[in-house]
Amino acid sequence: MSHHDDFEIEPVEGLPAEPPKGEEILWQGRPDWWALSIEALSLKWVAGYFILLAVWRFISVVDLLPLGQAIGSAVPFVMLGLLVCGLLTLVAYVQARATMYTVTDARVVMRIGAALTITLNLPYTQVSNAMLDLRKRGTGTIALETMGDTRLSYLVCWPHVRPWHIKHTQPALRCIPQAEKVAALLAEAAEARISMPQIVRVAPQNAVAAE
């Protein structure tokens, strides 16, 4: 498994170098920006919070002020909520456009990051498990549980991680369309790769002299 910063022009979008001879790209895609804003940036919860503040403000003054003024006192909370939600939606859109997930017959490659772009290279031989979180609209998240001593930073990889798994960060293909289809494709490729026989050259044994 490896990761590095990308400052060069990509020969293939989403990949830092041409795939090795014989490696086949099976799928490439980006997060659905709207699903990312809801699931990763909690857009609905943030909107609900500001709506609750506006309602609370209105109820607290409706008995003290005329109706028009009571409504007016709640408007700033609504406007602030719209601004925050707009910023969250913009962040989700930029993150989605800057991201490219690639599934090949040998590995998963994640080109992530809007301000600081990095590429995660995850060979199937270092992935112990893949988990699919499927949503109603067909989008979903595929989290990858890695093996070995390599540790990934949760903050550096966010939001392309399985939520709340901070100690052992699990990189994830977040909010991708047709997630079930991609998960099946990934599982089939990983199984085929792991079951491939490994040819290892060994030194010939010393001949035993006959007595």
Side-chain angles (χ1 to χ4, degrees):
M1 185 192 327
S2 63
H3 61 87
H4 57 81
D5 298 339
D6 292 321
F7 295 102
E8 300 179 355
I9 298 175
E10 297 172 330
V12 177
E13 186 178 10
L15 299 178
E18 289 282 353
K21 186 177 180 180
E23 182 178 1
E24 180 183 358
I25 296 176
L26 304 177
W27 174 86
Q28 285 190 306
R30 293 182 168 90
D32 179 283
W33 66 270
W34 179 247
L36 191 68
S37 68
I38 294 174
E39 296 179 27
L41 302 180
S42 303
L43 182 65
K44 287 185 177 180
W45 287 99
V46 173
Y49 172 74
F50 281 100
I51 291 173
L52 184 62
L53 285 179
V55 171
W56 170 81
R57 177 62 178 173
F58 172 76
I59 293 176
S60 65
V61 300
V62 69
D63 293 335
L64 305 175
L65 299 174
L67 181 60
Q69 293 184 17
I71 294 175
S73 68
V75 168
F77 293 99
V78 175
M79 299 302 295
L80 182 60
L82 289 174
L83 176 61
V84 173
C85 289
L87 290 175
L88 290 177
T89 301
L90 178 61
V91 169
Y93 179 80
V94 172
Q95 280 283 352
R97 294 302 303 171
T99 299
M100 178 59 74
Y101 301 135
T102 303
V103 176
T104 78
D105 56 1
R107 55 183 170 153
V108 175
V109 182
M110 301 169 58
R111 196 272 313 273
I112 60 176
L116 176 62
T117 301
I118 65 172
T119 299
L120 302 181
N121 184 50
L122 306 168
Y124 294 132
T125 53
Q126 295 188 26
V127 175
S128 61
N129 198 14
M131 294 143 288
L132 171 63
D133 180 14
L134 189 63
R135 300 301 172 125
K136 292 181 179 180
R137 296 175 59 241
T139 59
T141 292
I142 303 174
L144 304 175
E145 187 175 355
T146 59
M147 299 183 294
D149 297 329
T150 302
R151 292 291 179 264
L152 301 174
S153 168
Y154 188 92
L155 292 178
V156 170
C157 296
W158 184 89
H160 311 277
V161 291
R162 186 180 182 187
W164 307 115
H165 286 66
I166 300 175
K167 185 176 181 180
H168 299 289
T169 301
Q170 296 180 11
L173 281 62
R174 292 298 302 269
C175 307
I176 56 174
Q178 299 181 321
E180 191 170 15
K181 179 180 178 181
V182 177
L185 188 69
L186 190 154
E188 183 179 345
E191 184 177 359
R193 172 62 57 169
I194 294 172
S195 63
M196 288 179 62
Q198 300 295 320
I199 301 176
V200 180
R201 177 177 294 180
V202 296
Q205 296 180 349
N206 294 329
V208 179
E211 296 182 359

